[in-house]
Amino acid sequence: MNAKLNKSHYGYLFIAPFFISFGIFGLIPILYTLYLSFMKWDGFSDPVYVGFANYSRLLHDSFFYQTIGNTLIIWIMSIIPQLVLALVLALILNEKFIRGKHFFRAIYFFPHIVTPVTLAVLFFLMFDWQTGTVNKILMSIGMVEDPINWFNSPMWSRIIVATVICWQYFGFNMIVFIAGLQSVPNEVFEAAEVDGATKWQTITRITLPMLRPVFLFTFITSVIGGLQLFDSALMLGDGPGNTTRTMVMYLYQTAFKTFDYSYGAAVAYGIFIVVMIFTAFTARLTMKKE
Amino acid sequence: MKTKKWFTLVLSVIMLSALLAACGGNNKTNNANSGNNGTTGNTANETETGSTAEPAELAGELVIWTFFDQVNDMAAQFSAKHPGVKIDVKMFPGDQYQTKLMSALQSGKDVPDIFDLERGYIGKFMDSKFLADLSAMGGDELVKDYIPYVQELGRASDDTLRAVSDHSSPGGFWYLKENAKKYLGTDDPEEISLMVDSWDKVIEVGTKVEAESGGKVHLIANAGDLFDIESYNTAPWVNDGKLNIDTKWQEVFETQKKIRTSNVDAKLPFMSAGWGNALNDGSVVLTSMPAWAGFMIDNKDGKAEGKYGVARTPEGFYVGGTYRGIYEKSDKKELAYEFIKFIAGEEWQQHNLEKTGNMPGNGKVYETNLDRFKSTIFGDQNILKPYYETVKQIPANKADKYGEEILSKWRKAAGDGITNNKSFEDVAADFKKDVKNTFPEIDVE
C-alpha cells in the first residue's frame, strides 16, 4: 500500500533538539574528560600531556579498589531487602480484598520524593551516637547500656547508608511491580482458581514467572543506579577507614576537593569501565535466561 | 498539505531556537557580544573607569566575588565614602564557591576584579598567576602594623603580598561564668587562663570536674579541639617536597589520648548539634571557640548577656580567615587597590569590630580597643585582651598548597586513632598512606 518510505528531511529538524543538547551537555564533557585524563592539570597552570600516567596511577590505587568494594557491598546490602520488600508489598497491595490500598501505595512511595540529601541528614541525626534518637530509644527500653557509636563501626556505617537507599527506593520499585502485576492477564488466574491452585501455588507458578521482565528491568536499573551511589553516602561521610566511601564520592573528592582534575577524569573513566563490566554481566545473565 | 509542511518547519525552528536560547541563558552579556566575545565588554569598562581612578575622587565600577555576606557592608561603607564607585558584590554561599571561582579564572570570562579566598584553600592560589602583586602597588605599607600571622598568610612563596584580610580569627576558651564558678571555683578570666595554661593542667582540672559532676560535665568539648589549637603551632607539613610530621604531633596525640581516656572531653565534634547545646547549657565548662562564632550562643531576648567569659587557651590559635586579592588581569587594579587599602585600614576594621565583633587584622585597632571594647554576651570583660595576647604569638607561616588538606588527613587518621585507642605508629602509617595516595608528588618516607 504505502511501499514508498517518506524520507522527508524535516524529520531531522525534529530530532535535532535532542542531539544538540546531548552534544553540548553530554558528548562534549565526556570527550573533554577523556582529554583531561591524559593531562596533568590542577586548574591553576596549563594542562600538560602525561600520557597514561593517570591510568597507571589508578591501576595501583588501593583507595580506588576499596571504593569499588564499598560500593558493591552497600549496593548488595540495599538491593536485596529493597526488592524483597517491594515485591512483598506489591503482592499484598495488589490483592482485591485489601482496603485502602491506594492510600498505602502513596505512603510507601513518599520516601522516593524526598531528596537523598535530606534523607541522609535525617539518618545522620537519628544515628548520632550521643544525641540521636535511635540510641536514646535503645537505652530507654534497656536494650543497650551505653550508646552505640554507629559511625565508628564499618559494618553499621554501611548498613545505615544501605538503609537510606533501601528506604528511598523500595516504594518506587513497589509501584513498578504493581504495574507489572496488573499487566498479567486475569484469565490465567481464573484458570488457576478453577483448577484448584492454592494462593502460594498461584504466586510461585504464575505471578513470579510472569513478573520476570519487570524484575529484570528493576535489577538492571538498580545495578546502574547503585554503582553511581553518591549523594546520600556523601552526606554520611567517608566512614571509619573510608569504608563508606563510594566510587563516585572518590571521583568527587579527587576532582573537586583536591582539585586534581586530571586524575579525577581518569577515576571517572575507571568508574565507567567498572559500571560497563557489571552492566554487561547483568545483561548477559538476562539474555541466557531468556 | 503545503500549510502542514510550513507548520512543521516553523514549529521545528521555534523549538530549536528555544533550546539554543535556553543553553545560552546563563550568560547574557556574552551572548550579546557573541562573535566578538570579551573584547567589547572590556573596552566598555575601560572607558567607564580607566582615567578616573584617582585617589582624590574615585569613580568606577568594581565587581567582587565572595562567599561571605558581610562583604556587602564593606562595599556599602566604601561606596558611602566614595560615592562615585559602584560595587557589585556577587555572593556565592556554600562550598561550591571555589569551583565556581576557579572555572571563571581559568576561562578568563566574566571574572571579578576582586575575589575572596578562604584560609582553607588560599595556599593553592598564592603562587598562581591569578593574583596581582600587591607589594608592587605599595601593599606592604598597608600591613605593616598587622598581626604577624595574618599578613604572612597573604604572601606568596617569593614573599610578595598577594592578598589581605581585614580581620584575625583568634580563639579562646569560652565559658559560662556561673558554670566556671561552680566547677573551677572562679569566673575570673585571668585566673582561669592560668589554671589551664598547659595540657597537663587541663587534664588535671578536667579529671576533677568529671569526678565532681559524676560524669555529667566535662572540662572541654573534644580532644579533637587540640587539632585546631596545634595546627598552626607546629612546623609546616611539607618541607622541600618532603612530608614532615612535626615531632610535636606525637606529643599532642598522646595528650589527646590521655584526655579521651580520662574522660576530660565530652567527645562532641566541633559545630555538631550536641556541641552547640553544650556551649549553651554548660555541660562543657571550657569550649575552644574562634572569636567570630558568637552566633552559636543563644542570645534570644538578651538572655545570654553578660553570662560568658573568655580565657586564654594553653597556646594561641586561630580558625579560618577570609582574604581578598585583586585579579591579575583586571583593568581596574588601581581602583581595586583602593578598596583593599580601605579594608586594611583602621576605619573599616573599627566599624567591623563594633558591628559584628570580628577581631581586627590590624594590630593598631587591637591596641586602641584593648581597654575599651566590650561585647554584650561577655559583659564587662575586655575580650580583646586574651585574644591579643595569644594572637601576637601565633607563628607567622605562609600558606602552602598542601597544608590544609594534609592537616585534614591528619585529623582523620589521628581522630580515628583517639577514638579507637591506636598507637601513634599505626596512625602515622595510615596517614602517610593517605597522603602518598592523594599527592604522589610528595616524598613520603
Side-chain angles (χ1 to χ4, degrees):
Chain A
M1 290 189 311
N2 224 344
K4 220 178 95 188
L5 213 61
N6 184 7
K7 284 191 177 172
S8 162
H9 51 270
Y10 290 125
Y12 293 115
L13 276 173
F14 279 103
I15 58 166
F18 167 75
F19 282 98
I20 291 170
S21 61
F22 173 71
I24 294 171
F25 297 111
L27 196 62
I28 293 175
I30 290 172
L31 295 177
Y32 186 63
T33 308
L34 185 67
Y35 157 80
L36 276 188
S37 69
F38 293 105
M39 300 286 155
K40 172 140 192 67
W41 187 43
D42 60 2
F44 287 103
S45 41
D46 294 323
V48 183
Y49 178 75
V50 291
F52 284 91
N54 286 321
Y55 288 99
S56 87
R57 182 179 158 192
L58 185 67
L59 281 176
H60 298 100
D61 186 346
S62 60
F63 285 84
F64 179 63
Y65 291 119
Q66 189 198 15
T67 62
I68 300 179
N70 291 342
T71 315
L72 284 179
I73 292 171
I74 296 171
W75 176 70
I76 290 170
M77 285 189 340
S78 80
I79 190 72
I80 294 172
Q82 193 189 121
L83 291 187
V84 171
L85 203 62
L87 187 65
V88 171
L89 285 173
L91 287 173
I92 295 172
L93 292 180
N94 199 40
E95 285 300 330
K96 289 191 191 73
F97 62 83
I98 298 279
R99 277 176 180 237
K101 52 185 169 190
H102 296 290
F103 173 73
F104 283 109
R105 280 179 200 170
I107 288 284
Y108 291 133
F109 191 72
F110 276 160
H112 189 69
I113 54 178
V114 182
T115 57
V117 173
T118 318
L119 287 182
V121 172
L122 197 72
F123 273 71
F124 190 74
L125 292 176
M126 273 164 55
F127 283 91
D128 184 290
W129 75 285
Q130 284 165 308
T131 53
T133 14
V134 178
N135 269 335
K136 293 250 154 92
I137 292 174
L138 290 180
M139 277 160 73
S140 68
I141 59 171
M143 268 182 77
V144 292
E145 223 160 77
D146 292 313
I148 302 168
N149 194 345
W150 306 100
F151 292 105
N152 190 39
S153 141
M155 198 31 103
W156 279 118
S157 306
R158 284 171 174 161
I159 290 177
I160 293 167
V161 178
T163 314
V164 176
I165 302 154
C166 174
W167 193 55
Q168 193 190 1
Y169 288 104
F170 83 93
F172 174 77
N173 285 329
M174 182 195 74
I175 296 289
V176 174
F177 283 138
I178 290 178
L181 284 172
Q182 287 175 346
S183 68
V184 179
N186 235 349
E187 294 83 358
V188 196
F189 290 113
E190 279 163 14
E193 211 174 305
V194 171
D195 290 345
T198 63
K199 197 80 216 165
W200 180 246
Q201 280 173 324
T202 326
I203 290 176
T204 51
R205 304 284 169 84
I206 299 174
T207 320
L208 289 185
M210 296 206 75
L211 263 188
R212 244 181 54 88
V214 180
F215 212 80
L216 292 172
F217 165 78
T218 46
F219 198 67
I220 291 177
T221 49
S222 27
V223 169
I224 299 168
L227 293 178
Q228 292 174 5
L229 185 61
F230 173 64
D231 26 20
S232 48
L234 181 76
M235 294 313 293
L236 292 170
D238 282 345
N242 302 323
T243 43
T244 57
R245 179 156 72 179
T246 67
M247 292 191 287
V248 184
M249 272 167 81
Y250 189 58
L251 157 64
Y252 172 74
Q253 287 170 359
T254 312
F256 300 107
K257 289 277 164 207
T258 318
F259 290 95
D260 195 343
Y261 290 122
S262 45
Y263 187 54
V267 173
Y269 271 88
I271 295 174
F272 168 70
I273 290 164
V274 174
V275 176
M276 276 301 285
I277 291 172
F278 280 98
T279 315
F281 182 70
T282 329
R284 219 185 133 80
L285 217 72
T286 325
M287 280 197 292
K288 254 188 190 165
K289 280 186 181 164
E290 295 285 353
Chain B
M1 199 57 198
K2 236 181 178 174
T3 31
K4 217 176 185 180
K5 261 192 179 174
W6 268 108
F7 177 69
T8 45
L9 184 69
V10 170
L11 186 69
S12 19
V13 170
I14 290 173
M15 278 168 67
L16 241 161
S17 50
L19 179 89
L20 291 175
C23 293
N26 279 337
N27 200 336
K28 276 192 180 142
T29 37
N30 277 350
N31 263 357
N33 296 336
S34 60
N36 194 5
N37 246 342
T39 44
T40 334
N42 283 344
T43 9
N45 289 339
E46 269 164 29
T47 44
E48 262 171 45
T49 57
S51 56
T52 47
E54 285 297 317
E57 37 186 303
L58 302 172
E61 243 183 278
L62 279 177
V63 179
I64 304 181
W65 276 22
T66 184
F67 50 88
F68 189 46
D69 63 350
Q70 286 172 12
V71 176
N72 282 315
D73 186 34
M74 233 173 257
Q77 294 294 322
F78 185 77
S79 297
K81 219 179 157 195
H82 307 285
V85 183
K86 192 175 164 279
I87 300 180
D88 182 11
V89 178
K90 291 205 171 119
M91 235 229 333
F92 307 96
D95 60 355
Q96 292 311 309
Y97 170 74
Q98 193 193 350
T99 319
K100 170 108 188 137
L101 179 66
M102 279 181 68
S103 21
L105 293 176
Q106 197 65 37
S107 71
K109 276 179 199 139
D110 242 349
V111 195
D113 303 300
I114 296 176
F115 51 88
D116 281 6
L117 297 167
E118 216 274 323
R119 169 67 185 98
Y121 48 80
I122 188 174
K124 296 185 204 165
F125 283 82
M126 274 300 125
D127 287 328
S128 74
K129 57 189 178 188
F130 303 126
L131 284 169
D133 179 2
L134 300 178
S135 289
M137 303 166 94
D140 294 310
E141 188 63 22
L142 302 181
V143 295
K144 69 177 193 317
D145 297 320
Y146 256 55
I147 302 294
Y149 98 81
V150 179
Q151 58 90 25
E152 192 68 15
L153 279 177
R155 288 187 188 274
S157 52
D158 62 358
D159 227 30
T160 52
L161 190 70
R162 301 279 161 164
V164 173
S165 176
D166 67 323
H167 61 269
S168 53
S169 338
F173 275 140
W174 289 21
Y175 57 88
L176 271 165
K177 287 183 188 164
E178 206 181 312
N179 218 27
K181 236 180 189 159
K182 190 167 165 195
Y183 293 103
L184 306 176
T186 174
D187 62 1
D188 178 64
E190 189 54 36
E191 278 179 46
I192 294 176
S193 301
L194 292 173
M195 222 182 238
V196 291
D197 62 1
S198 75
W199 293 117
D200 288 336
K201 285 190 185 173
V202 167
I203 295 173
E204 199 190 304
V205 177
T207 323
K208 249 190 253 167
V209 170
E210 209 261 345
E212 276 170 28
S213 68
K216 287 212 170 86
V217 175
H218 300 271
L219 184 66
I220 62 173
N222 200 318
D225 293 350
L226 273 75
F227 291 125
D228 290 319
I229 299 175
E230 299 297 341
S231 5
Y232 311 117
N233 284 308
T234 40
W237 289 104
V238 179
N239 204 348
D240 281 335
K242 262 170 90 174
L243 179 70
N244 170 41
I245 306 179
D246 191 324
T247 44
K248 197 175 173 189
W249 279 117
Q250 180 159 7
E251 257 170 69
V252 173
F253 179 71
E254 298 305 339
T255 309
Q256 286 173 310
K257 279 213 299 193
K258 228 190 248 170
I259 289 179
R260 181 56 57 86
T261 46
S262 48
N263 268 325
V264 169
D265 72 334
K267 306 171 191 69
L268 294 163
F270 185 57
M271 291 281 167
S272 67
W275 178 88
N277 290 342
L279 180 67
N280 289 291
D281 69 17
S283 51
V284 166
V285 183
L286 301 174
T287 310
S288 59
M289 296 276 284
W292 47 261
F295 58 85
M296 289 302 297
I297 304 286
D298 178 14
N299 193 18
K300 204 178 160 199
D301 306 323
K303 66 177 175 188
E305 275 174 20
K307 296 265 170 74
Y308 284 82
V310 56
R312 294 187 301 267
T313 43
E315 278 165 287
F317 77 107
Y318 69 91
V319 180
T322 307
Y323 284 73
R324 222 147 271 126
I326 300 175
Y327 178 49
E328 173 66 33
K329 288 183 190 151
S330 163
D331 45 18
K332 290 171 229 164
K333 275 192 198 157
E334 284 82 23
L335 188 59
Y337 182 73
E338 289 303 319
F339 186 81
I340 300 287
K341 200 161 139 189
F342 173 72
I343 60 148
E346 293 178 46
E347 184 189 340
W348 158 255
Q349 295 192 11
Q350 181 70 37
H351 165 88
N352 194 29
L353 174 69
E354 282 161 16
K355 191 173 174 195
T356 64
N358 277 341
M359 294 296 131
N362 195 324
K364 272 191 173 166
V365 184
Y366 264 107
E367 277 164 14
T368 18
N369 289 286
L370 270 185
D371 298 312
R372 205 166 77 187
F373 181 77
K374 307 260 196 281
S375 153
T376 51
I377 55 171
F378 295 102
D380 283 340
Q381 190 183 353
N382 293 317
I383 57 165
L384 257 62
K385 273 190 177 163
Y387 291 139
Y388 190 50
E389 280 163 33
T390 50
V391 84
K392 278 191 298 189
Q393 287 157 13
I394 297 174
N397 285 327
K398 290 195 173 67
D400 64 36
K401 68 190 259 206
Y402 300 114
E404 287 294 298
E405 255 173 275
I406 296 187
L407 176 65
S408 79
K409 289 186 187 303
W410 175 255
R411 274 174 198 272
K412 197 165 145 186
D416 182 50
I418 298 165
T419 313
N420 298 310
N421 208 3
K422 288 187 183 169
S423 73
F424 182 78
E425 288 68 33
D426 288 349
V427 166
D430 284 350
F431 168 68
K432 283 181 186 166
K433 195 180 160 204
D434 198 4
V435 172
K436 178 96 209 147
N437 185 67
T438 311
F439 303 108
E441 68 274 21
I442 295 179
D443 187 7
V444 179
E445 273 173 11

